[in-house]
Amino acid sequence: QKEVEQNSGPLSVPEGAIASLNCTYSDRGSQSFFWYRQYSGKSPELIMFIYSNGDKEDGRFTAQLNKASQYVSLLIRDSQPSDSATYLCAVNPTSAGGYNKLIFGAGTRLAVHP
Amino acid sequence: ETGVTQTPRHLVMGMTNKKSLKCEQHLGHNAMYWYKQSAKKPLELMFVYSLEERVENNSVPSRFSPECPNSSHLFLHLHTLQPEDSALYLCASSRGTGGLDEQYFGPGTRLTVT
């Protein structure tokens, strides 16, 4: 059974701090990795994707991938109260086929307090 | 995100009713997806259509019946549902290019089965 694991939280950080969200996956052959943000009562919104080992930065967000450890993380710098949401990690276990069969973690709830 | 729309946004139905959920994407994508999101559970992939052909059916009960008449429209026909089917049903679409394919979600339909 292919699985994606996330700490459910809540992860509570003060405004301006760095929030670190972690995700592990079981399928060593996984090819690509996605982070979604989901506000309460809303649908998931894509933040970033990564497919190579190392870091990928986009504004205040940095995704980190370590395929050897089967670990992917999302760092949010200068956290704002508006970043308070549930963050979903999603893994594509294969690159075959003309579609993307994502496996989602249950999400980590982030709370940024002023 | 107006690229993927879903109707209705909220639906209450009895166990003997028949209803349909509609999804439309305006992004020129070739793959469309149905997901189920229940409280405190990961997003569950239900069906995938690639170029209007169903390519995934994740052991979904037959009381859920998908239909993809063209690459822009996706339906989920519902009949004789159970209370445990109450959930947020999300539609997503992607270009259909495989592993690095980003999925974009619609706003979802909140379904309550009474």
Side-chain angles (χ1 to χ4, degrees):
Chain A
Q1 178 74 8
K2 297 168 185 168
E3 293 182 342
V4 176
E5 299 286 342
Q6 295 182 259
N7 189 318
S8 62
L11 173 65
S12 183
V13 300
E15 184 174 356
I18 296 175
S20 177
L21 303 158
N22 305 315
C23 172
T24 59
Y25 58 95
S26 62
D27 186 349
R28 186 171 289 278
S30 295
Q31 299 291 319
S32 51
F33 308 85
F34 302 80
W35 282 101
Y36 286 83
R37 176 176 63 199
Q38 187 172 24
Y39 292 111
S40 180
K42 302 293 186 182
S43 61
E45 172 193 8
L46 181 66
I47 299 175
M48 292 188 70
F49 66 88
I50 188 169
Y51 54 91
S52 297
N53 277 326
D55 295 359
K56 179 181 179 182
E57 186 174 320
D58 184 0
R60 294 187 297 113
F61 298 97
T62 299
Q64 299 176 316
L65 175 62
N66 184 327
K67 289 186 178 179
S69 300
Q70 295 174 238
Y71 176 91
V72 58
S73 65
L74 180 70
L75 302 179
I76 306 175
R77 289 182 299 282
D78 188 24
S79 296
Q80 302 297 310
S82 59
D83 294 325
S84 299
T86 297
Y87 289 80
L88 307 177
C89 173
V91 174
N92 183 25
T94 178
S95 62
Y99 60 96
N100 197 344
K101 183 180 175 181
L102 295 182
I103 299 174
F104 281 83
T108 297
R109 188 158 64 89
L110 173 66
V112 181
H113 54 86
Chain B
E1 175 60 58
T2 58
V4 183
T5 58
Q6 289 186 245
T7 54
R9 296 292 305 276
H10 300 272
L11 177 62
V12 179
M13 59 185 290
M15 288 189 286
T16 59
N17 291 158
K18 290 184 180 181
K19 296 287 184 183
S20 295
L21 309 184
K22 179 183 177 181
C23 176
E24 184 172 0
Q25 59 95 1
H26 310 274
L27 301 170
H29 288 169
N30 291 318
M32 296 187 77
Y33 311 76
W34 278 118
Y35 287 89
K36 175 184 178 182
Q37 189 174 36
S38 303
K40 302 192 186 304
K41 292 178 67 176
L43 274 158
E44 301 172 56
L45 180 64
M46 300 175 71
F47 301 104
V48 181
Y49 277 82
S50 177
L51 296 172
E52 301 150 45
E53 178 183 347
R54 189 191 309 180
V55 293
E56 288 284 341
N57 179 352
N58 281 357
S59 302
V60 179
S62 59
R63 56 186 184 269
F64 296 91
S65 175
E67 178 189 2
C68 187
N70 54 62
S71 60
S72 298
H73 293 87
L74 185 65
F75 294 89
L76 188 62
H77 303 299
L78 316 172
H79 64 96
T80 59
L81 295 190
Q82 304 299 310
E84 60 265 29
D85 296 322
S86 299
L88 180 67
Y89 288 84
L90 291 159
C91 173
S93 71
S94 69
R95 285 188 299 273
T97 54
L100 302 182
D101 208 18
E102 302 146 46
Q103 290 184 26
Y104 296 91
F105 285 85
T109 296
R110 174 70 62 184
L111 173 66
T112 302
V113 181
T114 61

